[in-house]
Amino acid sequence: MVSRIFFALALLLFGQTSFAQYDQLEDYEKDAPFASTEGLLKLNFAFASGFMPNQIIYNHYLQGSLAYFPEKKVALRADFSMLLSSPSQGSILKNNTGIYLGGFWHFVDKPIWDPYVGLQAGLHISQTTYEKPGFIYPQYGEFQVSPAVQFQTGVNFYISKHLHLSAGAQAIVAEQKGGKVPDDYSLTEFRAHLGLGLQFGLIDLEKKKNKVF
């Protein structure tokens, strides 16, 4: 499973170098839904599945992001993720919420396909269960706050001026300290996600072409 995730990351990175060349093609610019990503505000929601290699468990998440482009190809982005379920047998993870903030580099300025990479720092709020003597069922531990680092790569596909699809992969490094489990609990995880989003603040391509300076 881990090798497949790394293969997906490598495939996305290879695709980014291929898509970047389109930024200079005249025909591609004619098909772009807007003139430039500068000033763009993007909202995205995604479903993600993750694998924790240290725990050998699978998880499902709801993810969201809000990104703003202060200039073309550069985005400031805040991400949020919430654990929906941890269906693997033997999983003691009950809650795992992440909040991240960082910067992203987008390889194309006039995108239809929009490949990107990004790095974020953040926090995880997590909770695990533990066995307590005298109790039949596992007990809930206290919520723990842990620092986290997240690397993301992926691609957006702009359907129209205001709608896009997204797909990508991410690697998260974090560790829960304590929480009444025998050892510190690793939250390091590889995820793949699919999503749908909206964008606002677009610069109309035709208006920009006809603008008199």
Side-chain angles (χ1 to χ4, degrees), residues 63-114:
Q63 298 188 160
S65 67
L66 181 64
Y68 174 71
F69 288 74
E71 58 182 75
K72 60 182 183 180
K73 298 186 180 181
V74 177
L76 301 177
R77 179 168 151 177
D79 280 49
F80 170 83
S81 66
M82 180 180 66
L83 180 68
L84 295 176
S85 65
S86 184
S88 297
Q89 185 176 6
S91 174
I92 64 172
L93 188 64
K94 294 303 176 185
N95 290 284
N96 189 26
T97 298
I99 303 171
Y100 317 92
L101 182 64
F104 283 71
W105 174 259
H106 292 251
F107 290 84
V108 181
D109 178 36
K110 305 175 181 63
I112 297 175
W113 293 95
D114 175 26

Side-chain angles (χ1 to χ4, degrees), residues 144-188:
Q144 305 292 320
V145 179
S146 312
V149 175
Q150 175 172 251
F151 169 78
Q152 287 203 55
T153 182
V155 62
N156 299 311
F157 174 68
Y158 291 92
I159 302 172
S160 67
K161 289 184 177 181
H162 300 290
L163 188 66
H164 68 272
L165 300 174
S166 65
Q170 57 209 95
I172 301 165
V173 179
E175 186 173 19
Q176 174 183 289
K177 299 291 186 180
K180 294 186 178 181
V181 293
D183 300 303
D184 295 336
Y185 192 85
S186 175
L187 300 173
T188 294

